[in-house]
Coordinates of all heavy atoms in Angstrom, one line a residue:
G1 N 25.5 -285.2 -130.0 CA 24.5 -285.9 -130.8 C 23.2 -285.9 -130.0 O 22.2 -285.6 -130.5
V2 N 23.3 -286.2 -128.8 CA 22.0 -286.2 -128.0 C 21.4 -284.9 -127.8 O 20.2 -284.7 -127.9 CB 22.4 -286.9 -126.5 CG1 21.2 -286.7 -125.6 CG2 22.6 -288.4 -126.7
L3 N 22.3 -284.0 -127.6 CA 21.8 -282.5 -127.4 C 21.2 -282.1 -128.7 O 20.1 -281.3 -128.7 CB 23.0 -281.6 -127.0 CG 23.5 -281.7 -125.7 CD1 24.6 -280.8 -125.4 CD2 22.5 -281.6 -124.6
T4 N 21.7 -282.5 -129.9 CA 20.9 -282.0 -131.1 C 19.5 -282.5 -131.1 O 18.7 -281.8 -131.5 CB 21.8 -282.6 -132.3 OG1 23.2 -282.0 -132.2 CG2 21.1 -282.2 -133.6
E5 N 19.4 -283.8 -130.7 CA 18.1 -284.5 -130.7 C 17.2 -283.8 -129.6 O 16.1 -283.4 -129.9 CB 18.2 -285.9 -130.5 CG 16.9 -286.6 -130.5 CD 16.3 -286.7 -131.9 OE1 16.9 -286.4 -132.9 OE2 15.0 -286.8 -131.8
V6 N 17.7 -283.6 -128.4 CA 17.0 -283.1 -127.3 C 16.6 -281.8 -127.6 O 15.4 -281.3 -127.3 CB 17.8 -283.2 -126.0 CG1 17.2 -282.3 -124.9 CG2 17.9 -284.6 -125.6
Y7 N 17.4 -280.8 -128.1 CA 17.0 -279.4 -128.4 C 16.1 -279.4 -129.6 O 15.4 -278.3 -129.7 CB 18.3 -278.5 -128.5 CG 19.1 -278.3 -127.2 CD1 20.3 -278.0 -127.2 CD2 18.4 -278.6 -125.9 CE1 21.1 -277.8 -126.1 CE2 19.1 -278.5 -124.8 CZ 20.5 -278.1 -124.9 OH 21.3 -277.9 -123.7
A8 N 16.1 -280.3 -130.4 CA 15.2 -280.3 -131.6 C 13.7 -280.7 -131.2 O 12.8 -280.3 -131.8 CB 15.6 -281.3 -132.6
H9 N 13.6 -281.4 -130.1 CA 12.4 -281.7 -129.5 C 12.3 -281.6 -128.0 O 12.2 -282.5 -127.2 CB 12.1 -283.3 -129.8 CG 12.3 -283.6 -131.3 ND1 11.3 -283.3 -132.2 CD2 13.4 -284.2 -132.0 CE1 11.7 -283.7 -133.4 NE2 12.9 -284.2 -133.3
P10 N 12.3 -280.3 -127.6 CA 12.4 -280.1 -126.1 C 11.2 -280.5 -125.3 O 11.2 -280.6 -124.1 CB 12.6 -278.5 -126.0 CG 12.1 -278.1 -127.3 CD 12.3 -279.1 -128.3
S11 N 10.0 -280.9 -126.0 CA 8.9 -281.4 -125.2 C 9.1 -282.9 -124.8 O 8.3 -283.3 -124.1 CB 7.7 -281.1 -126.1 OG 7.7 -281.9 -127.2
R12 N 10.0 -283.6 -125.4 CA 10.3 -284.9 -125.0 C 11.2 -285.0 -123.9 O 11.9 -284.0 -123.6 CB 10.9 -285.7 -126.2 CG 10.1 -285.7 -127.5 CD 10.8 -286.4 -128.5 NE 10.0 -286.5 -129.8 CZ 10.6 -286.8 -130.9 NH1 11.9 -287.3 -131.0 NH2 9.9 -286.8 -132.1
S13 N 11.3 -286.2 -123.3 CA 12.1 -286.3 -122.1 C 13.6 -286.3 -122.5 O 14.0 -286.9 -123.5 CB 11.9 -287.8 -121.5 OG 12.9 -287.9 -120.6
P14 N 14.5 -285.5 -121.8 CA 15.8 -285.4 -122.1 C 16.6 -286.5 -121.4 O 17.9 -286.4 -121.2 CB 16.2 -284.0 -121.6 CG 15.3 -283.8 -120.4 CD 14.0 -284.5 -120.8
K15 N 16.0 -287.6 -120.9 CA 16.7 -288.7 -120.2 C 18.0 -289.2 -120.8 O 18.8 -289.5 -120.0 CB 15.7 -289.8 -119.9 CG 16.1 -290.7 -118.9 CD 15.2 -290.6 -117.7 CE 15.3 -291.6 -116.6 NZ 15.9 -291.1 -115.5
A16 N 18.1 -289.1 -122.1 CA 19.3 -289.7 -122.8 C 20.6 -289.0 -122.4 O 21.7 -289.5 -122.4 CB 19.1 -289.7 -124.2
V17 N 20.4 -287.7 -121.9 CA 21.4 -286.7 -121.5 C 22.2 -287.5 -120.4 O 23.5 -287.4 -120.2 CB 21.0 -285.5 -121.1 CG1 22.0 -284.6 -120.4 CG2 20.5 -284.7 -122.3
E18 N 21.6 -288.3 -119.5 CA 22.1 -288.9 -118.3 C 23.3 -289.9 -118.7 O 24.1 -290.1 -117.8 CB 21.0 -289.6 -117.5 CG 20.1 -288.6 -116.9 CD 19.0 -289.2 -116.2 OE1 19.1 -290.5 -115.8 OE2 18.1 -288.5 -115.7
R19 N 23.3 -290.5 -119.9 CA 24.4 -291.4 -120.2 C 25.7 -290.7 -120.5 O 26.7 -291.4 -120.4 CB 23.9 -292.1 -121.6 CG 22.9 -293.1 -121.3 CD 22.6 -293.9 -122.6 NE 21.3 -293.4 -123.1 CZ 20.8 -293.4 -124.3 NH1 21.6 -293.8 -125.2 NH2 19.6 -293.1 -124.5
Y20 N 25.6 -289.4 -120.7 CA 26.9 -288.7 -121.1 C 27.2 -287.4 -120.2 O 28.4 -286.9 -120.2 CB 26.8 -288.2 -122.5 CG 26.4 -289.4 -123.4 CD1 25.1 -289.5 -124.0 CD2 27.3 -290.4 -123.6 CE1 24.9 -290.6 -124.8 CE2 27.0 -291.5 -124.5 CZ 25.8 -291.6 -125.1 OH 25.4 -292.7 -125.8
A21 N 26.2 -286.9 -119.5 CA 26.5 -285.7 -118.7 C 26.3 -286.0 -117.2 O 25.3 -286.8 -116.9 CB 25.6 -284.6 -119.1
W22 N 27.0 -285.3 -116.4 CA 26.9 -285.5 -114.9 C 27.0 -284.2 -114.3 O 27.5 -283.2 -114.9 CB 28.0 -286.3 -114.5 CG 28.1 -286.8 -113.2 CD1 28.6 -286.1 -112.0 CD2 27.5 -288.1 -112.7 NE1 28.5 -287.0 -110.9 CE2 27.8 -288.0 -111.2 CE3 26.8 -289.1 -113.2 CZ2 27.3 -289.2 -110.4 CZ3 26.5 -290.2 -112.4 CH2 26.8 -290.2 -111.0
G23 N 26.5 -284.1 -113.0 CA 26.6 -282.9 -112.2 C 26.1 -281.5 -113.0 O 25.0 -281.6 -113.4
G24 N 26.9 -280.5 -112.9 CA 26.6 -279.3 -113.4 C 26.2 -279.2 -114.9 O 25.3 -278.5 -115.3
A25 N 26.8 -280.1 -115.7 CA 26.5 -280.1 -117.1 C 25.1 -280.6 -117.4 O 24.3 -280.0 -118.1 CB 27.5 -280.9 -117.9

């Protein structure tokens, strides 16, 4: 769900990814 939002607006900060992804991902 976060990726759907992040890739729809790549100029915004992708910081929300940090809640669910770690390391290589």
Side-chain angles (χ1 to χ4, degrees):
V2 166
L3 291 179
T4 300
E5 183 65 24
V6 166
Y7 293 157
H9 306 283
S11 61
R12 296 182 188 166
S13 170
K15 195 110 174 115
V17 167
E18 293 178 9
R19 284 183 250 153
Y20 308 108
W22 187 270

